[in-house]
Amino acid sequence: MDQMLRCRVVAADVDVFSELLFSHGACGVVESESDGTSVHLDCSFDAETPLERLAGILREHCERQGLNAEIGVVQLDDSWKLQWIDHLEPVDVSPSLRLVPSCAPSVREPNALYLEPALAFGFGEHPTTLMALRWLESRSPRSRLLDLGTGTGVLALAAAHWGANLVLGVDIDLPSVEAARTNARANGLDERCRFVHTADDAGDGDFDVAVANIDARTLATLARSLCERLAPDAALAVTGILEEQVESVCAAFARCGVTLKRIDVEGDWVLLGSTV
Ligand SMILES: C[S@@+](CC[C@H](N)C(=O)[O-])C[C@H]1O[C@@H](n2cnc3c(N)ncnc32)[C@H](O)[C@@H]1O
């Protein structure tokens, strides 16, 4: 990747704008500066994405939706990746889990997961990741778990840390799959965690816990294939959804026989869940 989008958005619009970025394929979005009234976001996409064209499409969306955002394409030099990571801080998810955005040191903290610097999404700083982690903590032990849209593998690895027997993480973005595998090895969780690209064989069998933190449109599209992988009595949570998208996501899962309910809310973001 040698380019990214750099955006300035009015603080009140930041969640809606972030969702717009994810629904157009953003792999990662990092808040690089904020002065209280506006926020600067650095957004990475896979190398094949035509960013100038995408920036034009996003500007049209913003105009239609009344979002106040400036969107530009910037060239990256080698130091950018490090600057990205510089903005990340450790996140204390619960007394039993701290997420540290760095390579694993030789002496590890007992409840820490180390997420190596990468351009994948998911260092625990986003409200949707935090809600999914809170939901996962009590459900992970002894489970067979699916993490759809795994990014850095943060949810999958947290589930394994909390005692899941077997975890499958899936992502459409190959660098994310590679980052998740690296993170699994770095944390000694690679025996219980497998990460695959959507084009790979995701194996057979049902899952008794499934979590998906992806944008609302993608969730609606994937609802059937996701529901088909759930065991009877499975627990499911989906997030990456804004309040105004709840109805359409619920409708998509209802068509597959799954009733979703609001379980958690952070700012404009919602986590929906169900016992199948
Ligand atoms: C918002 S990130 C979530 C990352 C991580 N699970 C977390 O909770 O922080 C969404 C991820 O879903 C992936 N994704 C988008 N569309 C997908 C699809 N159709 N199938 C699988 N993964 C997808 C993206 O590449 C991205 O890594």
Side-chain angles (χ1 to χ4, degrees), residues 131-150:
M131 286 192 289
L133 287 165
R134 284 202 290 262
W135 181 86
L136 272 177
E137 183 160 12
S138 61
R139 290 167 178 85
S140 296
R142 294 177 299 284
S143 64
R144 187 183 149 91
L145 189 138
L146 173 65
D147 171 20
L148 187 56
T150 199

Side-chain angles (χ1 to χ4, degrees), residues 212-242:
N213 178 9
I214 318 185
D215 64 274
R217 263 161 283 191
T218 307
L219 286 170
T221 309
L222 297 178
R224 189 157 300 280
S225 55
L226 177 54
C227 293
E228 280 170 3
R229 297 297 306 263
L230 301 176
D233 298 326
L236 168 70
V238 295
T239 185
I241 304 159
L242 295 168

Side-chain angles (χ1 to χ4, degrees), residues 50-58 73:
L51 286 190
E52 291 291 357
R53 190 146 66 84
L54 178 63
I57 294 169
L58 291 170
V73 178

